[in-house]
Amino acid sequence: MTVSTTRKTRDPYIIIKARDLIKLLSRSVPAPQAIKMLDDEMQCDIIKIGNLVRNKERFVKRRQRLVGPNSSTLKALEILTGCYILVQGNTVAAMGSFKGLKQVRRIVEDCMENKMHPVYHIKILMMKKELEKDPALKNENWDRFLPKFKKKNVQTKKVKSKEKKPYTPFPPPQQPSKIDLELESGEYFLSEKKKLAKKWQEKQEKQAQKTTENKRKREEAFVPPKEHVNQDSNKSQNDEEDVTALAVSLKQKAKEFGKKKASQNINAEEYIAAPATEEKPSKKKKKSKHT
């Protein structure tokens, strides 16, 4: 396709506009939309995104991230920037004002280079739209109002590098075949009946092992769990021991009191209340009196 002027052309800049129109048509932009390029206020920008990502899978994912589910992200960007955006192959065609084209280029490059998700750019643009309505904040810096997003790197799985074996010019040793293994063990010379008997015996041993293991697993369910010994139980045991010791001492005192009651008049309450250490010297004194 060629572009040429005639005697009726008044604006020489229309040649550049026509060149941009042909570029847009070659990028699959619809003709009714591309013809708007001939207006004085309309500009276009073709952003090349094919060289920004080397890996093809990552490129496709990031390009889809720019479009969004049901092209919702692309529609939101078109409304906020006031530009027509078309993602096609390795390029992004945009039509609009200079300010809008600048914003679109920045959003597309940040998305493809994985610097910032387009959704965050949409949030920032929405905040700016709201701040533009306030005449008091027209000449002020908006950085304090805009949200700041921190990039979070997702930890990828580290590929385990295999240790390189030392180079040897000789090939690896040949693995022994099934016949060689049978010759070593002596099974090759056995008759068919003996081979079958050996296989049957091995099978029986495996079955016996499996049955014992299954039986052990079934019995585990009936094993009672170990009870945790609390400190309160230890205290109760100590209290029981003290009570038994007290009962034994009272029985001994009762026996001694029965023996002494016949010879001397002793009060029972005073005798039991008196400690055991005071009893022994009193006995000696009494004996000394009798002698």
Side-chain angles (χ1 to χ4, degrees):
M1 292 177 76
T2 57
V3 179
S4 60
T5 57
T6 60
R7 288 181 182 181
K8 292 181 180 180
T9 53
R10 295 177 182 179
D11 185 13
Y13 191 72
I14 201 73
I15 299 167
I16 294 162
K17 289 273 186 180
R19 182 202 64 182
D20 293 340
L21 174 63
I22 292 162
K23 274 186 182 180
L24 291 168
L25 288 168
S26 66
R27 293 288 188 283
S28 302
V29 177
Q33 182 67 35
I35 288 165
K36 291 178 184 177
M37 187 60 216
L38 299 173
D39 297 337
D40 291 336
E41 294 176 358
M42 191 66 72
Q43 306 296 328
C44 80
D45 188 12
I46 292 158
I47 306 155
K48 292 179 181 179
I49 57 173
N51 299 327
L52 296 174
V53 185
R54 289 184 179 180
N55 192 354
K56 194 176 180 181
E57 289 179 3
R58 284 182 188 171
F59 171 75
V60 172
K61 279 184 182 178
R62 289 176 190 176
R63 190 178 64 183
Q64 187 59 35
R65 191 186 295 170
L66 188 64
V67 176
N70 298 323
S71 65
S72 59
T73 309
L74 204 65
K75 285 173 186 174
L77 289 170
E78 283 180 353
I79 292 161
L80 292 166
T81 56
C83 297
Y84 172 81
I85 305 164
L86 180 74
V87 180
Q88 182 72 27
N90 293 333
T91 57
V92 177
M95 290 173 64
S97 62
F98 281 113
K99 187 183 176 183
L101 292 173
K102 194 177 178 182
Q103 288 174 342
V104 170
R105 181 171 273 276
R106 188 187 170 192
I107 291 162
V108 170
E109 285 178 355
D110 284 355
C111 178
M112 296 308 293
E113 289 173 2
N114 203 24
K115 287 182 179 177
M116 193 184 282
H117 200 280
V119 173
Y120 297 140
H121 277 294
I122 288 164
K123 286 182 180 178
I124 291 163
L125 288 169
M126 286 170 75
M127 291 283 289
K128 283 181 179 178
K129 285 273 183 187
E130 291 294 321
L131 291 165
E132 279 175 4
K133 293 175 184 177
D134 193 356
L137 300 167
K138 195 174 182 180
N139 298 321
E140 288 187 20
N141 192 10
W142 293 345
D143 288 343
R144 58 201 172 103
F145 299 110
L146 299 175
K148 292 177 182 178
F149 302 104
K150 291 181 180 179
K151 188 181 175 184
K152 293 180 181 179
N153 290 326
V154 180
Q155 290 183 353
T156 55
K157 290 182 180 178
K158 292 181 180 179
V159 180
K160 292 181 180 179
S161 59
K162 292 181 180 179
E163 293 181 0
K164 288 185 178 179
K165 294 178 182 178
Y167 173 73
T168 52
F170 306 105
Q174 191 176 358
Q175 295 295 323
S177 64
K178 193 177 179 181
I179 296 164
D180 293 335
L181 293 168
E182 285 180 357
L183 285 166
E184 284 180 10
S185 60
E187 289 180 17
Y188 186 77
F189 303 104
L190 293 171
S191 61
E192 286 293 326
K193 283 184 179 180
K194 287 183 178 179
K195 283 181 182 179
L196 289 168
K198 194 176 182 182
K199 280 183 182 179
W200 185 80
Q201 193 177 354
E202 287 174 0
K203 195 176 180 181
Q204 289 293 323
E205 285 175 2
K206 282 180 182 179
Q207 283 180 356
Q209 285 178 2
K210 214 164 192 180
T211 50
T212 51
E213 194 176 344
N214 291 333
K215 192 177 179 182
R216 183 180 59 78
K217 284 179 181 179
R218 283 197 299 273
E219 286 175 355
E220 278 179 1
F222 299 102
V223 175
K226 291 181 180 178
E227 293 182 0
H228 296 287
V229 180
N230 296 325
Q231 292 180 355
D232 297 333
S233 62
N234 293 331
K235 286 179 182 178
S236 62
Q237 286 176 3
N238 293 331
D239 292 339
E240 286 174 5
E241 288 174 1
D242 294 337
V243 169
T244 50
L246 199 139
V248 170
S249 64
L250 283 169
K251 281 179 183 179
Q252 288 177 355
K253 282 186 178 182
K255 284 179 184 179
E256 290 173 4
F257 176 71
K259 289 177 184 178
K260 290 179 181 180
K261 195 174 181 182
S263 58
Q264 297 175 1
N265 293 325
I266 300 165
N267 192 4
E269 290 179 1
E270 290 177 2
Y271 182 77
I272 291 162
T277 51
E278 291 178 3
E279 290 175 7
K280 290 178 182 179
S282 63
K283 284 179 185 178
K284 289 177 183 177
K285 284 178 184 178
K286 286 172 185 176
K287 285 177 183 177
S288 60
K289 282 180 184 177
H290 283 292
T291 51

